Amino acid sequence: MADGSWEARRSADSFTVADRTFRSRLIVGTGKYKDYAENAAAAEAAGAEIVTVAVRRVNLSNPNEPMLVDYLRPDRFTFLPNTAGCFTGEDAVRTLRLAREAGGWNLVKLEVLSDPDTLYPDMVETLHALELLIADGFDVMVYCSDDPVMARRLEDAGAAAIMPLGAPIGSGLGIQNRLNIRLIAEQARVPVLVDAGVGTASDAAIAMELGCDGVLMNTAIAEARDPVRMARAMKLAVEAGREAFLAGRMPVRTYGAASSPTSGYIS
């Protein structure tokens, strides 16, 4: 999309990341499923076009073990390599360079974690790694804190998409700071996708109602009692949230307002 303004992005039927256009606004992960077959069935039920792949944790090259690409075909899905499990910028950059050598992937997701308990992003390391990857010719979607100031710095540094957390990774807490997510979406000239913390369909709908361009999730689907059914629910939630955002919600009022006319009654 040539015009990355809020008004242009809010009315588009698709979103564009680094000259790649997608109609599905739901990105799904490839971890925590009982097997790759279930993962593939959930991805199809979600209507996803992008699947994110933890390069350090998913088998992409060993033919002696089940391989992800045998179930989620690269000609059907856009693979988005990510740096899950990296705690330094250098480690993240090294991981993505290896991924590009192995699969030719140039569109990547950067995440640099601060500690193993909260899994919050280390934004100093993230910004440093982003600058190195941009200089190396990567198109980088960036997992980040829900800080509008830092989100703008990442965009100014060349991020292809901003991916603020809704809550800690794998927590299922839902979006904890709606105001900041809304501000990030409004100010950005690149796509904004909530990444992490979604637990159920209503969380996904809220993300879209706030004006986000999409939602990325893994645990919310993979750890559901019925992952494939949850994937369908998430697909519908993203679509409903998007429609509600485009429709424009009613004003929030302190007091009640009658639904029917207050004049012309029969007395």
Side-chain angles (χ1 to χ4, degrees), residues 46-177:
E49 294 176 288
I50 305 174
V51 293
T52 184
V53 179
V55 178
R56 296 157 60 97
R57 299 171 178 168
V58 173
N59 179 29
L60 295 169
S61 58
N62 184 358
N64 297 319
E65 297 179 3
M67 294 178 60
L68 179 68
V69 294
D70 291 335
Y71 294 85
L72 291 117
R73 305 290 301 181
D75 58 354
R76 161 68 180 85
F77 297 97
T78 294
F79 278 32
L80 182 66
N82 72 55
T83 57
C86 291
F87 289 85
T88 68
E90 287 75 11
D91 196 14
V93 170
R94 185 184 313 112
T95 297
L96 292 176
R97 285 172 176 165
L98 289 173
R100 183 163 63 180
E101 290 177 10
W105 295 296
N106 201 61
L107 179 64
V108 297
K109 177 194 164 190
L110 171 65
E111 62 179 71
V112 184
L113 304 178
S114 60
D115 68 83
D117 295 321
T118 67
L119 301 180
Y120 277 120
D122 183 325
M123 294 312 304
V124 174
E125 288 288 299
T126 297
L127 182 58
H128 174 59
L130 172 63
E131 291 169 344
L132 292 175
L133 290 167
I134 294 297
D136 209 11
F138 284 92
D139 297 317
V140 190
M141 302 171 69
V142 186
Y143 168 65
C144 61
S145 61
D146 58 357
D147 177 356
V149 176
M150 182 55 72
R152 173 57 60 84
R153 289 196 65 182
L154 293 171
E155 183 177 343
D156 290 345
I162 305 299
M163 308 180 78
L165 57 82
I169 293 172
S171 68
L173 289 169
I175 296 174
Q176 296 297 294
N177 195 330

